[in-house]
Amino acid sequence: EVQLVQSGADVKKPGESLKISCKGSGYSFTSYWIGWVRQMPGKGLEWMGVIYPGDSDTRYSPSFQGQVTISADKSISTAYLQWSSLKASDTAMYYCARLMYISGWYIANWGQGTLVTVSS
Amino acid sequence: QSVLTQPPSASGTPGQRVTISCSGSSSNIGTNTVSWYQQLPGTAPKLLIYSNNQRPSGVPDRFSGSKSGTSASLAISGLQSEDEADYYCAAWDDSLNGPEVFGGGTKLTVL
């Protein structure tokens, strides 16, 4: 069974750094794109970016380029999303997601979500 | 503002058939397949439809998807109270060097 298990909720102050994780199991971690989706309180879904753990090819949505860093450690089947300096507007639920391709791209599996709260 | 346009809300009574639309452009829905996701309150989204009209195993056949030109639709027949959720469409966009784009989401209320 494919599973994406994310790290727990976190509360940070503005200006602090943060790295959240997503561990994949039940499939070949290096063979599928994995990405991050943001959902701000009461709002819709937004793709942030994706990474191919096999060669670390990473692509960011224009809105998130330069704002976050996506990485992966294939030795432990884990993808990461990190911020160097958090803002209050980064308060949101963050989901990791595994992409598949059958005639077109789609999200086959989702993590349970990591709630990030940034408040002074 | 989302690249794909969905109505913010939809509603129906138990047993009814409801459709949710998703409008895009030639760079996304016009040339790529559409997927749909269901997000029940307080939970992570779940894949409902992929490749325009394919259901993953475990998704009831009450849910169906279609695409025509630069628009797509999700239909739910035999509406049930447990279908009350947010629904999102998504498609790859060739004008962006990256992942898919989502619709703004439609909140479905079962009256």
Side-chain angles (χ1 to χ4, degrees):
Chain A
E1 178 197 6
V2 173
Q3 282 195 309
L4 298 174
V5 179
Q6 298 184 226
S7 49
D10 218 324
V11 180
K12 292 289 190 182
K13 290 181 166 45
E16 291 186 328
S17 63
L18 176 65
K19 191 174 189 177
I20 62 176
S21 66
C22 168
K23 183 173 176 60
S25 63
Y27 72 99
S28 174
F29 184 75
T30 55
S31 301
Y32 294 88
W33 289 85
I34 191 165
W36 291 92
V37 176
R38 181 177 79 173
Q39 187 168 38
M40 300 178 76
K43 301 297 184 183
L45 306 173
E46 304 171 88
W47 264 111
M48 302 177 73
V50 291
I51 187 167
Y52 188 75
D55 62 7
S56 294
D57 183 7
T58 307
R59 304 179 188 186
Y60 296 90
S61 292
S63 301
F64 294 95
Q65 180 82 47
Q67 307 304 309
V68 297
T69 301
I70 293 171
S71 61
D73 184 340
K74 58 187 180 184
S75 69
I76 54 172
S77 301
T78 300
Y80 300 98
L81 175 66
Q82 66 181 92
W83 296 261
S84 58
S85 181
L86 286 159
K87 302 185 281 284
S89 57
D90 293 317
T91 295
M93 181 72 82
Y94 293 89
Y95 295 100
C96 63
R98 184 180 77 120
L99 285 168
M100 282 194 68
Y101 186 92
I102 297 178
S103 304
W105 292 102
Y106 63 96
I107 300 171
N109 307 94
W110 296 75
Q112 83 276 19
T114 296
L115 180 61
V116 173
T117 304
V118 183
S119 175
S120 55
Chain B
Q1 187 139 3
S2 302
V3 175
L4 304 181
T5 302
Q6 296 180 236
S9 63
S11 64
T13 55
Q16 262 191 332
R17 183 176 187 271
V18 170
T19 60
I20 297 171
S21 62
C22 175
S23 176
S25 67
S26 58
S27 65
N28 42 65
I29 294 178
T31 50
N32 297 296
T33 59
V34 177
S35 51
W36 290 89
Y37 306 91
Q38 177 193 57
Q39 187 174 33
L40 296 168
T43 69
K46 166 192 155 186
L47 176 65
L48 211 54
I49 296 287
Y50 67 97
S51 298
N52 302 327
N53 54 20
Q54 301 299 302
R55 282 186 311 277
S57 61
V59 173
D61 59 7
R62 302 186 296 105
F63 294 90
S64 62
S66 64
K67 182 184 116 169
S68 178
T70 59
S71 294
S73 291
L74 173 71
I76 309 171
S77 59
L79 197 62
Q80 300 180 2
S81 59
E82 56 260 40
D83 298 332
E84 187 159 294
D86 293 324
Y87 293 85
Y88 295 90
C89 61
W92 195 270
D93 194 305
D94 292 341
S95 67
L96 302 173
N97 179 31
E100 296 179 297
V101 289
F102 288 105
T106 298
K107 182 173 182 56
L108 175 64
T109 302
V110 181
L111 303 169

